[in-house]
Amino acid sequence: MNKKKRILWALTFTAAVALTVIATGCSKAADQASSTSEQKVKTLLVGTSGGPKPYVYVDQNNNLDGYDIAVWTEIDKLLPQYDIQFEKTEFPSIFAGIDSGRYQIGANNITKKPEREEKYLFGNEYYYFNRTVVVVKKGRTDIASINDLSGKTIPISPGGGFEQLFVEQFNKEHPDKEIKPAYTDQDQIKTYQDIANGAADFTFAEKVMLRDIEKEYGIALDTVELPKEEIEKIQNPKAYFIFSKTGDGPAIRDAFDGALRTLLDNGKLKELSIQYLGADYTR
């Protein structure tokens, strides 16, 4: 091999080695970038009680379904930095799970209460507005608003529920027009039956939850629709997702607020509400 050929071969070999090193480096960089990207996907575990239907329930395939779950599934699509998973638990364990760090989010038609707001971070965006209605006997027409409830009887479970709190506050503000509470430990179906047969005058209920009562139990009832301002006097009607106040909680909350606003703006939240709840309960 003459000198010119030896120089040419050396240059070619050097160039080939250089290209191999560059290619190998690029490959490693790509692998590292891919690995870094995968590491950035954070798994979030949502605690939910699995009831009541139609908000959350276990379907025939033993999978969680319902309005809350559908909303989270859509949020998951909008936030590629998170992988959202669900776990069924008892309702009180949702809060205990956030306390312990097991759950990053709680989702179960949760409304604001002062004691909850002290411990947990609520979303700035709510995803459901509970259309509370007055439940009365079929054909009854003398109750058209909360102002017509004076002197009427309502069965109440003495456990500090919203019905009890509303009636006690109403009676404090209207001592000459008090509602008559009948404290009882009976279940809600018995209350509906008492109203249907005239043993009690009324109760409050979520409109969504009443859809199947007449069909399932054969109880004939009417409902009185209330304006938003009256609903808000009875109970806090807005449902939120809750997060931890510490660690990544605020950042996760902010991301989900943004996703919820997107679902509101593009009409997807309304679509899911109609699909699962039978009407638009988003606002």
Side-chain angles (χ1 to χ4, degrees):
M1 181 181 294
N2 60 36
K3 184 177 181 181
K4 182 182 288 187
K5 287 183 179 181
R6 283 199 303 271
I7 293 173
L8 181 59
W9 179 88
L11 289 173
T12 303
F13 177 78
T14 301
V17 170
L19 288 173
T20 300
V21 170
I22 292 172
T24 302
C26 289
S27 177
K28 288 182 178 179
D31 289 342
Q32 289 171 354
S34 176
S35 176
T36 302
S37 176
E38 289 176 2
Q39 290 173 0
K40 287 182 179 179
V41 177
K42 180 179 178 65
T43 298
L44 302 180
L45 190 58
V46 183
T48 181
S49 73
K53 190 177 182 178
Y55 305 115
V56 187
Y57 59 92
V58 179
D59 65 17
Q60 59 186 5
N61 297 318
N62 205 35
N63 295 319
L64 285 171
D65 198 358
Y67 176 64
D68 284 31
I69 303 300
V71 172
W72 276 103
T73 299
E74 291 300 321
I75 290 175
D76 192 23
K77 295 177 183 177
L78 294 173
L79 301 177
Q81 68 270 39
Y82 297 122
D83 174 28
I84 302 174
Q85 300 178 10
F86 308 94
E87 183 171 277
K88 183 175 177 293
T89 187
E90 297 296 323
F91 186 76
S93 296
I94 295 173
F95 302 94
I98 293 178
D99 292 341
S100 69
R102 177 172 182 78
Y103 303 135
Q104 287 70 54
I105 310 104
N108 217 106
N109 194 22
I110 297 171
T111 57
K112 286 184 177 180
K113 292 182 179 180
E115 61 271 22
R116 289 176 181 170
E117 290 186 271
E118 285 182 11
K119 293 190 67 176
Y120 307 103
L121 191 63
F122 280 74
N124 291 312
E125 300 288 340
Y126 63 93
Y127 69 101
Y128 169 71
F129 189 97
N130 172 23
R131 297 287 178 174
T132 305
V133 294
V134 181
V135 184
V136 297
K137 183 178 181 178
K138 193 77 172 177
R140 187 164 186 169
T141 59
D142 62 323
I143 297 176
S145 73
I146 60 175
N147 294 324
D148 299 322
L149 300 178
S150 299
K152 308 298 192 301
T153 59
I154 174 175
I156 289 179
S157 173
F162 76 88
E163 301 96 336
Q164 180 182 358
L165 296 177
F166 167 74
V167 169
E168 291 176 352
Q169 183 63 32
F170 183 93
N171 289 347
K172 186 183 296 184
E173 296 174 359
H174 306 85
D176 56 336
K177 299 180 179 180
E178 290 188 349
I179 297 170
K180 298 177 180 178
Y183 293 101
T184 175
D185 290 326
Q186 69 188 22
D187 63 30
Q188 198 65 25
I189 299 304
K190 180 62 166 62
T191 293
Y192 293 143
Q193 291 170 337
D194 286 350
I195 292 169
N197 63 33
D201 291 312
F202 77 96
T203 190
F204 298 113
E206 297 180 27
K207 186 177 179 182
V208 171
M209 301 299 293
L210 282 173
R211 288 189 304 166
D212 300 324
I213 292 296
E214 189 168 3
K215 177 181 177 182
E216 186 171 351
Y217 295 96
I219 305 173
L221 299 166
D222 272 342
T223 59
V224 178
E225 304 280 341
L226 299 172
K228 284 188 174 182
E229 57 269 21
E230 290 195 358
I231 292 174
E232 290 174 335
K233 290 179 182 179
I234 297 169
Q235 68 167 324
N236 190 330
K238 299 171 182 176
Y240 299 84
F241 300 123
I242 61 170
F243 310 81
S244 172
K245 282 189 171 183
T246 60
D248 293 337
I252 296 171
R253 189 274 308 270
D254 291 345
F256 282 83
D257 277 347
L260 266 179
R261 283 191 293 270
T262 297
L263 296 178
L264 277 165
D265 292 343
N266 66 19
K268 188 63 181 180
L269 199 64
K270 177 180 177 180
E271 178 186 322
L272 293 175
S273 179
I274 293 171
Q275 176 185 346
Y276 284 91
L277 310 179
D280 181 9
Y281 292 98
T282 61
R283 286 298 180 267

